[in-house]
Amino acid sequence: MNILLLGSGGREHALARKMSQSSHCGKLFIAPGNAGTAECGTNINIGVSDFEKIKAFCLENTVDLVVPGSEEALVNGIYDFFGADAALQHIPVMGPSRTGAQLEGSKAFAKLFMERHNIPTAGYREFNAGNYGEGVAYIQQHSLPIVLKADGLAAGKGVVITSSHEEALEEFEQMIQSAKFGDASKTVVIEQFLSGIELSVFVLTDGHTYKILPEAKDYKRIGEGDKGLNTGGMGAVSPVPFADKAFMEKVETKIIRPTVAGLSAEGIVYNGFIFFGLINVEGEPFVIEYNCRMGDPETEVVIPRLQNDLLELFTAVSEGKLSAQTIYTDSRAAATVMLVSKGYPEAYEKNKAISGIPAPADDQIVFHAGTRQDGETVLTNGGRVLAITSLAASLSLALSHSAQTAEKISFEGKTYRRDIGYEFI
């Protein structure tokens, strides 16, 4: 089959590499892609939400499957766009409908969904310009710390944890009155702070049944010891040591099963990945957030551990036959260390020449996150540049191997965290 993958990050490189290894893969196109995805297929200069150009390309190139990597196209309704067009209806889109994507696209939507289906999550209230004064009063009497979340998509940066009422009020004002995150913060969800350790759990679903993929833990803060600004992710590990059988049974019975059943009961079309951002509070799982796609950099540790043919799983989803599939997982641990540009997640420079990237091996792959090809030279093209994933018999070994390669790769301003997985080794 011919596939069009939408996106340009490390997640898309990991998905592209996995799909290209399938015996069912004919031509693989990536829009817009990066220097790494170009090694797996053909990069196409089309934006992920330029649906008319995507339509024309799919028809001209006999595309059989569309795989949106990031949330943007899904929240903007690419599934619905294909379903409403007679010329495109035969092409499966591996993702939810626009309504299903609201699990990620609107924090308020997700919270109400969890309320309706008794899914454990932090207590909350939502506010906008219309009830701004109520929000101020609510913050003033709220216990510390206070969590504020922009309702809409904010590139992973719309969550602020404040340690004082003054700081919370300032952030609240900036979000709603000063549009700190644009339209995304027209509505703000103020949430109870939960103390625990986070992890990410992923399922693939056809809207009725589901299969659980390997879990992961990512590291958002720019600085070692989980300090500094939030980023899109500085690294990840899989498996997560505390996610044992007993804990994962709770995750499945209290969170995954009622989520999929709730989507089905409400008639919400959902075909694709559900990302559960969870927190372990004294052995009990709570949902922090939903995402309607795989995470990044979690994909870079989850997909290398997945031993199934990814295209066979996608076909089973599109045909409603996912229940017949069995997930097979590599027993090795995987660890990703992300190399980022100096200044990230704030202002950073691009177009720095990269050297020392090793060829892929069975126990290590360097996924391109923000790169572009210029002749024979690979250049930086984003804040997060490369994701170094290693697999080994233990997490400590995998982390060590990734760190060794991080030292060998070179580009001006290279920065990375040396303590990924620190609480487990």
Side-chain angles (χ1 to χ4, degrees):
M1 65 175 73
N2 296 335
I3 305 116
L4 175 61
L5 171 64
L6 304 177
S8 61
R11 165 183 48 219
E12 286 74 35
H13 188 187
L15 292 170
R17 185 173 186 272
K18 185 70 171 176
M19 290 190 293
S20 71
Q21 294 170 339
S22 170
S23 60
H24 303 286
C25 183
K27 294 179 181 178
L28 174 60
F29 305 102
I30 309 95
N34 60 39
T37 61
E39 298 174 359
C40 308
T42 303
N43 288 346
I44 306 298
N45 188 24
I46 299 176
V48 298
S49 288
D50 193 339
F51 294 170
E52 289 297 336
K53 285 188 178 179
I54 289 171
K55 172 184 175 177
F57 183 86
C58 287
L59 297 178
E60 289 170 8
N61 293 275
T62 322
V63 168
D64 302 298
L65 174 68
V66 174
V67 181
S70 66
E71 67 278 7
E72 181 184 331
L74 294 167
V75 171
N76 288 339
I78 190 168
Y79 182 96
D80 308 74
F81 178 84
F82 271 64
D85 192 313
L88 299 174
Q89 287 173 350
H90 67 287
I91 304 174
V93 175
M94 200 48 48
S97 64
R98 184 196 295 268
T99 303
Q102 285 301 294
L103 282 180
E104 176 170 3
S106 169
K107 302 292 190 299
F109 177 95
K111 283 290 192 179
L112 288 169
F113 177 87
M114 286 185 272
E115 274 189 3
R116 291 195 297 273
H117 299 286
N118 299 310
I119 295 166
T121 188
Y124 79 103
R125 282 190 63 184
E126 61 179 276
F127 300 95
N128 54 40
N131 62 350
Y132 181 81
E134 291 179 33
V136 170
Y138 184 72
I139 289 171
Q140 288 172 333
Q141 58 80 43
H142 201 288
S143 60
L144 299 174
I146 303 172
V147 181
L148 296 92
K149 294 183 175 181
D151 176 60
L153 299 178
K157 300 178 179 67
V159 179
V160 181
I161 300 173
T162 59
S163 56
S164 71
H165 293 96
E166 293 76 17
E167 184 187 2
L169 288 168
E170 183 180 345
E171 285 291 342
F172 187 60
E173 188 277 332
Q174 288 182 9
M175 284 185 176
I176 291 182
Q177 306 284 30
S178 303
K180 179 177 180 178
F181 299 108
D183 288 347
S185 58
K186 283 185 174 180
T187 296
V188 172
V189 170
I190 299 178
E191 209 175 64
Q192 169 197 9
F193 178 79
L194 296 176
S195 181
I197 186 167
E198 297 180 21
L199 76 156
S200 304
V201 172
F202 307 90
V203 305
L204 187 61
T205 182
D206 57 12
H208 303 284
T209 60
Y210 59 86
K211 295 295 175 180
I212 302 174
L213 305 178
E215 78 284 355
K217 183 183 187 328
D218 78 326
Y219 296 79
K220 291 291 187 195
R221 300 283 187 171
I222 186 68
E224 292 173 10
D226 285 330
K227 296 177 181 177
L229 295 173
N230 267 337
T231 73
M234 295 295 292
V237 298
S238 179
V240 179
F242 68 78
D244 56 18
K245 183 178 180 182
F247 181 79
M248 289 304 295
E249 283 179 354
K250 291 180 181 179
V251 171
E252 183 170 11
T253 57
K254 296 183 178 185
I255 294 171
I256 296 174
R257 196 173 296 155
T259 295
V260 176
L263 291 167
S264 179
E266 294 189 21
I268 297 173
V269 176
Y270 205 111
N271 299 288
F273 296 109
I274 308 177
F275 168 157
F276 300 85
L278 307 179
I279 187 167
N280 177 358
V281 181
E282 298 179 352
E284 292 296 324
F286 288 77
V287 178
I288 297 174
E289 64 175 355
Y290 290 110
N291 288 166
C292 60
R293 38 70 189 182
M294 289 293 288
D296 193 343
E298 295 100 325
T299 303
E300 289 95 296
V301 289
V302 171
I303 292 299
R305 294 190 66 220
L306 180 67
Q307 294 182 320
N308 295 69
D309 183 313
L310 190 56
L311 290 183
E312 288 182 3
L313 292 177
F314 286 165
T315 299
V317 168
S318 65
E319 294 178 351
K321 298 178 181 178
L322 187 60
S323 60
Q325 296 291 315
T326 301
I327 298 298
Y328 298 99
T329 303
D330 194 319
S331 61
R332 293 177 295 176
T336 288
V337 172
M338 186 72 71
L339 304 185
V340 306
S341 298
K342 182 180 179 181
Y344 176 78
E346 297 185 303
Y348 56 85
E349 294 182 354
K350 298 181 181 181
N351 301 315
K352 305 298 183 182
I354 307 170
S355 62
I357 302 174
D362 175 65
D363 60 352
Q364 189 175 84
I365 314 112
V366 176
F367 295 111
H368 291 238
T371 65
R372 69 178 183 88
Q373 194 82 34
D374 183 16
E376 296 298 313
T377 305
V378 176
L379 301 174
T380 66
N381 194 42
R384 294 190 298 167
V385 179
L386 297 169
I388 305 166
T389 296
S390 301
L391 297 107
S394 69
L395 188 55
S396 59
L397 272 176
L399 287 163
S400 175
H401 293 165
S402 287
Q404 289 169 17
T405 299
E407 283 297 308
K408 295 174 183 176
I409 295 174
S410 179
F411 60 87
E412 184 183 334
K414 178 187 73 176
T415 302
Y416 66 96
R417 277 182 60 170
R418 292 165 173 80
D419 68 338
I420 301 301
Y422 67 92
E423 67 269 69
F424 302 131
I425 56 173

